[in-house]
Amino acid sequence: MNKIISHIILSGCLLLPFEAKAAMVEASDSIDAEHKLNDVVVKAAKNSRSLSRVESVDIIGKDQLIRAACCNLGESFSANPSVDVSYSDAATGARQIKLLGLSGTYVQMMTENVPNLRGASIPYSLGYVPGPWMQSIQVSKGASSVKNGYESITGQINIEYAKPQAVDGFRANAYLDSDLKREMNLDGSIHLNDRLSTSLLLHFENRQTEHDGNDDGFMDMPKVRQFNAMHRWAYVSPVWISQLYLRALRDERNGGQSAHQHLSPNTQHPSPNTPYTTSVETDRYEIQWKNGFTLNADHNTSVALMLHGSWHDAWNSFGNNIYDVLQKNGYAQLMFETDLSDNHNLSVGASINHDYYSTRLSIASDYRDKTSETTAGIYAQYTYKLCDLLTVMPGVRLDHSNEYGTFFTPRLHVKYSPYEFLTLRASVGKGYRSPHALAENNHLLSRGRGIDLQSYLTTHLKQEEAWNTGFSAGLNIPVMEKNLEINAEYYYTDFINQMVINFHDGQSALSFENLNGKSYSHTLQVDATYPFFEGFSATAAYRLNDVKCTYDGILRQKPLTSRYKGLLTLSYKTPMELWQFDVTGQLNGGGELYDHSKYPSYFQLQAQVTREFQYFSVYLGGENLTNYKMKNPIIDAHNPWSDTFDTTQIWGPVTGAMAYIGIRIKFEKL
């Protein structure tokens, strides 16, 4: 037995230089990772899970992103068992995600390891990131690294955009679906010399056709027009890596009753022939600049400075309710990292974040408000690594907010691999979040009973605070000369403070309240991947959710949260890699509505076929091929000005089967 243990330790130590370097690259900022291991990163993106990281991370690489249309970030998780994507309401067409059974507001969104898409951008942010722009997506579940801040409660989603220094060339993607939505993406990169590169990414989408498949008088999806542009620069030298991007976005969403809708004589409205309409117009501008300096290559000693700024201006109208919000954000982080020895790594840093909000709410009267929050903090994270056997990563943050005072964020990650085929992980940590009730949930204004205005204006919402604990086991078992990958994980999120959206059983105006009781989420998931033969692989997953919150003194199931989810994905690529076939089936479990009534489970199917040519590829596919949709997604649609009108109780698809076709073109220098 002692010989076996000694052999395992020796084998792991022989791989230490390679593993330590990989861990350093993954733990460091992406500006360094993309330069040093550019080819390795591209290949590794094909894997579904990062095995070397101490955190539990799912990686959605470019190879997986093109298995579906992936017009934007919200459509990139269709084959991912961990992330749920659904419509937040039947008026704006906005998509929302859920991770560990909880709202996407508890997920820290990042672009290239910099916190982004926060606050006022949350409701429609999944539509702000075009699919062809993305190089990869990393989904980290549970308590994440303290390097990126304190906001991660259920996990982090990091988006890596296509890099100008990666491949010199031109790429295009055109898309058309049966709902007459049209998209065009263009991007080109130029290597000006061995160190300096630049690229331009352009996106345009347009859908102006009215669809009313259930004849309720309301458009099933809003008319959408979006212009999106990003300009990037990258400078890469042996000691200094710098990346800068500038971005501008214009997004327009107009929905509500169809223009040809004839109002019935019994329809309640403020004036004759007044249709109920919704409109969301957004202008967003971003700048992000990251710099990494290598001080000592032998000890992986480096210092990095990351800067980000955004301006988000949105005008929202839902019937007679108007909500306008302007958010200005500035973020800076300075970090230092070094290997103290082969087994010990230290990372320390400081950050500052400033948010300014200017809002206007017009329901019965006109209310205007201006608020700001500045949070400064420091952190330290230590990593101990014993060959490939054990990794321990404790981290702490100390932050001070002018709004919520000083707070402490401890986190701990442990990875233990006693055998080559088994990896065990555990994590525990705290997370905090500053709530912005209407900025993050403006679609709730499309509800007839509206919000309790007096409560909204007088209630001081506490900073949200929760503990997250997670355990996972990964098995890599040889079966018939191939590896069967099995992963089982459990996460528990327990809130100390939480902003509760109380619908009062759907019988009165909703209110935003501080938690008064318990609120928690239990999530258990098992998934398996197996390559049956060359080119063909399958992934199956099943997840159980138990999500409860206290409403009016009663602990009950959280409304509009499915109790379970099943997923099966099949992918086949022919030996010459000329054809690729992808099919995904998804079973979504039932749950509760506001009034405690139940909604059923349902099954969805999507498929895509891709044909590769030398300089382009053509893809054809379909979504919701089972044609399952909610019969009445809008409650009391024929009385849009009544108290019973409600567009927010969306638990399933609002549109039927949809087909699409597209072409991808690329001319790249190899």
Side-chain angles (χ1 to χ4, degrees):
M1 186 65 179
N2 291 335
K3 290 184 178 180
I4 295 176
I5 296 176
S6 301
H7 177 71
I8 293 174
I9 295 176
L10 178 61
S11 300
C13 290
L14 290 175
L15 296 174
L16 179 61
F18 303 99
E19 180 68 19
K21 185 64 176 177
M24 179 65 178
V25 169
E26 287 186 324
S28 67
D29 187 73
S30 62
I31 56 177
D32 187 50
E34 291 300 325
H35 172 56
K36 293 185 177 180
L37 291 178
N38 187 59
D39 291 337
V40 175
V41 170
V42 172
K43 294 294 184 182
K46 293 183 179 181
N47 296 329
S48 61
R49 182 166 287 108
S50 174
L51 299 178
S52 60
R53 293 184 60 161
V54 62
E55 304 163 85
S56 178
V57 180
D58 290 345
I59 299 177
I60 306 173
K62 196 70 175 180
D63 187 62
Q64 290 175 293
L65 289 171
I66 63 175
R67 292 180 182 178
C70 288
C71 296
N72 54 52
L73 177 63
E75 299 176 3
S76 302
F77 302 108
S78 58
N80 186 277
S82 301
V83 182
D84 295 324
V85 181
S86 62
Y87 288 105
S88 61
D89 64 279
T92 64
R95 290 177 180 259
Q96 63 175 353
I97 63 171
K98 289 185 178 180
L99 184 64
L100 306 186
L102 293 168
S103 166
T105 55
Y106 300 112
V107 179
Q108 185 180 33
M109 302 294 295
M110 299 186 295
T111 54
E112 301 187 339
N113 286 328
V114 176
N116 196 357
L117 301 174
R118 307 164 56 256
S121 65
I122 287 178
Y124 311 101
S125 60
L126 297 182
Y128 294 162
V129 182
W133 287 16
M134 295 185 290
Q135 176 178 286
S136 66
I137 306 170
Q138 293 90 44
V139 181
S140 175
K141 288 169 282 188
S144 302
S145 169
V146 295
K147 290 182 180 181
N148 303 116
Y150 54 85
E151 290 184 314
S152 169
I153 291 179
T154 58
Q156 293 176 342
I157 293 180
N158 179 53
I159 304 156
E160 291 288 339
Y161 292 120
K163 306 294 188 294
Q165 70 270 33
V167 181
D168 195 348
F170 167 80
R171 293 154 292 274
N173 183 1
Y175 167 95
L176 173 67
D177 65 30
S178 56
D179 295 326
L180 299 184
K181 177 183 177 182
R182 302 174 294 278
E183 289 200 12
M184 175 61 72
N185 294 275
L186 302 172
D187 74 89
S189 54
I190 300 175
H191 295 180
L192 301 176
N193 54 46
D194 291 341
R195 297 185 176 183
L196 185 63
S197 305
T198 185
S199 65
L200 178 65
L201 299 90
L202 302 173
H203 169 83
F204 172 71
E205 67 178 89
N206 190 34
R207 181 182 59 228
Q208 298 299 313
T209 305
E210 296 184 357
H211 294 271
D212 184 11
N214 59 357
D215 295 322
D216 64 358
F218 275 78
M219 287 182 271
D220 296 330
M221 61 194 76
K223 299 177 182 179
V224 177
R225 181 183 288 113
Q226 185 185 113
F227 303 89
N228 208 336
M230 177 186 287
H231 184 42
R232 304 200 61 167
W233 288 87
Y235 179 81
V236 180
S237 73
V239 296
W240 177 34
I241 301 173
S242 180
Q243 291 195 88
L244 170 71
Y245 79 64
L246 305 170
R247 184 181 177 195
L249 174 144
R250 169 71 177 183
D251 187 77
E252 302 170 357
R253 299 168 181 267
N254 296 288
Q257 287 183 296
S258 305
H260 62 274
Q261 166 69 8
H262 298 287
L263 301 177
S264 68
N266 296 323
T267 299
Q268 303 175 38
H269 49 72
S271 61
N273 300 318
T274 301
Y276 184 100
T277 61
T278 65
S279 179
V280 179
E281 298 182 7
T282 305
D283 289 327
R284 181 176 176 84
Y285 307 95
E286 292 182 29
I287 180 171
Q288 184 166 298
W289 189 26
K290 303 195 303 179
N291 294 273
F293 304 89
T294 301
L295 305 180
N296 186 326
D298 293 336
H299 292 277
N300 291 317
T301 304
S302 62
V303 62
L305 175 65
M306 292 171 283
L307 306 172
H308 180 90
S310 65
W311 172 294
H312 187 96
D313 200 358
W315 304 270
N316 308 274
S317 68
F318 305 91
N320 289 331
N321 298 331
I322 297 174
Y323 178 73
D324 299 335
V325 57
L326 169 64
Q327 180 188 5
K328 303 175 186 177
N329 173 261
Y331 174 84
Q333 180 183 2
L334 180 66
M335 60 185 297
F336 172 82
E337 187 162 347
T338 185
D339 287 346
L340 302 175
S341 68
D342 291 341
N343 303 92
H344 307 275
N345 173 270
L346 178 66
S347 177
V348 295
S351 65
I352 185 168
N353 183 80
H354 176 75
D355 279 311
Y356 168 85
Y357 286 86
S358 176
T359 60
R360 171 187 171 232
L361 174 62
S362 179
I363 299 180
S365 302
D366 200 34
Y367 298 90
R368 298 175 185 267
D369 190 26
K370 294 181 180 180
T371 60
S372 64
E373 181 186 5
T374 302
T375 305
I378 56 175
Y379 76 85
Q381 182 172 279
Y382 164 74
T383 304
Y384 170 75
K385 189 174 183 63
L386 177 61
C387 305
D388 284 337
L389 294 179
L390 178 68
T391 303
V392 181
M393 189 176 75
V396 293
R397 285 191 66 94
L398 185 66
D399 292 271
H400 178 79
S401 163
N402 66 309
E403 180 71 18
Y404 299 105
T406 303
F407 50 98
F408 180 65
T409 308
R411 292 178 183 173
L412 173 66
H413 294 82
V414 178
K415 187 186 81 166
Y416 178 53
S417 302
Y419 306 102
E420 185 178 352
F421 60 85
L422 176 63
T423 300
L424 304 174
R425 288 182 173 90
S427 65
V428 61
K430 248 188 178 184
Y432 299 84
R433 207 183 73 84
S434 301
H436 299 279
L438 277 183
E440 300 165 349
N441 302 280
N442 55 35
H443 69 280
L444 295 176
L445 290 171
S446 63
R447 185 170 176 262
R449 288 191 169 91
I451 66 171
D452 183 341
L453 190 58
Q454 183 64 26
S455 173
Y456 171 73
L457 295 175
T458 59
T459 300
H460 176 71
L461 295 173
K462 298 179 181 179
Q463 186 182 38
E464 295 190 278
E465 178 183 358
W467 282 96
N468 185 284
T469 305
F471 304 93
S472 69
L475 288 168
N476 199 330
I477 306 172
V479 178
M480 299 178 64
E481 300 182 350
K482 297 179 178 63
N483 287 329
L484 171 64
E485 297 179 13
I486 301 176
N487 185 70
E489 58 189 27
Y490 165 76
Y491 288 93
Y492 173 56
T493 307
D494 184 26
F495 283 91
I496 299 172
N497 295 319
Q498 185 181 24
M499 180 189 74
V500 176
I501 304 176
N502 192 341
F503 293 94
H504 303 288
D505 296 336
Q507 302 303 311
S508 61
L510 67 88
S511 58
F512 298 99
E513 306 171 352
N514 291 305
L515 177 65
N516 184 17
K518 294 183 178 181
S519 180
Y520 60 80
S521 166
H522 294 278
T523 302
L524 177 65
Q525 178 176 306
V526 178
D527 59 79
T529 300
Y530 185 70
F532 285 89
F533 52 86
E534 185 67 27
F536 178 76
S537 65
T539 297
Y542 186 79
R543 186 179 72 242
L544 287 172
N545 294 324
D546 179 22
V547 186
K548 291 184 178 180
C549 183
T550 302
Y551 301 94
D552 299 320
I554 300 174
L555 183 66
R556 56 168 289 195
Q557 291 288 334
K558 199 172 186 68
L560 302 177
T561 301
S562 296
R563 295 296 305 273
Y564 60 87
K565 177 181 178 179
L567 183 77
L568 176 64
T569 65
L570 306 174
S571 180
Y572 174 65
K573 182 177 288 188
T574 58
M576 298 296 291
E577 297 191 351
L578 297 178
W579 291 89
Q580 180 163 331
F581 304 87
D582 296 283
V583 178
T584 299
Q586 189 174 131
L587 177 64
N588 297 275
E592 287 190 3
L593 298 175
Y594 301 158
D595 61 0
H596 299 268
S597 62
K598 311 294 184 181
Y599 63 84
S601 60
Y602 62 94
F603 180 76
Q604 283 186 291
L605 186 69
Q606 69 176 47
Q608 179 177 286
V609 178
T610 305
R611 175 63 163 91
E612 296 284 349
F613 298 91
Q614 183 174 4
Y615 297 109
F616 68 95
S617 61
V618 178
Y619 58 95
L620 174 68
E623 297 180 359
N624 194 15
L625 296 177
T626 54
N627 200 34
Y628 184 90
K629 57 184 178 180
M630 294 179 61
K631 185 177 180 180
N632 295 302
I634 298 178
I635 298 174
D636 208 3
H638 296 292
N639 293 286
W641 303 105
S642 68
D643 289 344
T644 54
F645 175 77
D646 194 350
T647 71
T648 65
Q649 298 198 58
I650 303 300
W651 49 264
V654 297
T655 59
M658 183 270 287
Y660 61 83
I661 188 171
I663 182 172
R664 302 184 181 99
I665 302 171
K666 63 178 181 179
F667 296 96
E668 299 177 340
K669 295 181 181 179
L670 301 178

